[in-house]
């Protein structure tokens, strides 16, 4: 009886342990399969490399705008944090490795933002991303001034130095407080006003407006939004353009308005 009982307990314990292992492995396999499936379906998404302070803020902004994004992170403590929110789509991997970028859908992505703490790692990510997708928009973080030109030569469209921007912002709050408060109001940082800047391409502009002027669009009267700038086909910016300024399909409008006004403007154009 003692022998049979112990054998039964042993097999019960072994079966339970094996079941838990297999169940855990199955769950991980199923979860990884779902992640890969979701990534394969992504298009025009943003890849965020690094989920530190800057990367987290980037993801919050993208989430607020309902823009698809995914995260690449290799630090296990942050991976555990990401797992707590099921809305986070992420890959546990090294962004400096090309295979990881490919798994993240780099070839179908609209942009990649690299916020890794070390500048050499950001340079390597920029080089790899530009090689894998020549048309992708690349935005990189830099810690040192000397790294800015290196990142641009590597293929970054924009290089941001958070510390420099933060210092300039704090100085502006002292020197030009009213202007900074006004900007905060426009961007909704200090009030419930939900004004936003929007960039609109005229590629699919209605034929009746082709070759016309800003006055012909009559956006202000029809939608309430304001055209505050233009980007011409040669890349030149025109700030506060005159109503007589002519438009063509390669022009981009920069507008200011609330979400409803911007939506109406998109329908109009």
């Amino acid at each position: 009886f003692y022998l049979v009982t112990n054998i039964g307990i042993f097999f019960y314990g072994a079966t339970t342990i094996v079941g838990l292992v297999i169940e855990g492995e199955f769950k991980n396999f199923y979860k990884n399969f779902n992640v890969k499936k979701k990534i394969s379906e992504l298009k025009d998404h943003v890849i965020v490399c690094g989920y530190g302070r800057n990367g987290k803020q980037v993801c919050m902004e993208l989430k607020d705008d309902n823009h698809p994004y995914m995260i690449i992170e290799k630090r296990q403590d942050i991976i555990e944090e990401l797992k707590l929110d099921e809305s986070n789509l992420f890959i546990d991997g090294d962004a400096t490795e090309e295979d990881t970028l490919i798994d993240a859908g780099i070839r179908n992505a609209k942009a990649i933002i690299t916020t890794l703490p070390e500048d050499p790692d950001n340079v390597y990510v920029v080089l790899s991303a530009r090689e894998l997708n020549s048309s992708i928009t690349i935005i990189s973080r830099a810690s040192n001034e000397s790294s800015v030109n290196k990142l641009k030569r590597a293929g970054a469209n924009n290089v941001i130095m958070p510390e420099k921007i933060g210092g300039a912002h704090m100085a502006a709050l002292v020197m030009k407080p009213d202007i900074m408060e006004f900007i905060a109001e426009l961007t909704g940082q200090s009030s419930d006003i939900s004004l936003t800047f929007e960039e609109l391409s005229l590629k699919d502009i209605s034929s009746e407006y082709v070759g016309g002027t800003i006055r012909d669009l009559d956006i202000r009267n029809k939608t309430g939004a304001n055209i505050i700038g233009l980007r011409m086909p040669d890349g030149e910016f025109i700030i506060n353009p005159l109503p007589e300024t002519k438009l063509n399909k390669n022009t981009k409008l920069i507008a200011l308005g609330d979400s409803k006004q911007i939506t109406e403007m998109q329908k109009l154009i």
Side-chain angles (χ1 to χ4, degrees), residues 203-218:
K203 283 184 179 179
D204 301 318
I205 188 174
S206 176
S207 58
E208 63 181 296
Y209 298 125
V210 176
T213 64
I214 292 177
R215 177 180 282 113
D216 295 330
L217 289 176
D218 198 21

Side-chain angles (χ1 to χ4, degrees), residues 11 32 36 66 86 116 215 231 239 259 265:
F11 278 108
N32 290 333
K36 289 182 179 180
N66 294 318
E86 294 186 358
L116 303 179
R215 177 180 282 113
R231 184 160 194 177
I239 308 300
S259 57
M265 180 178 175

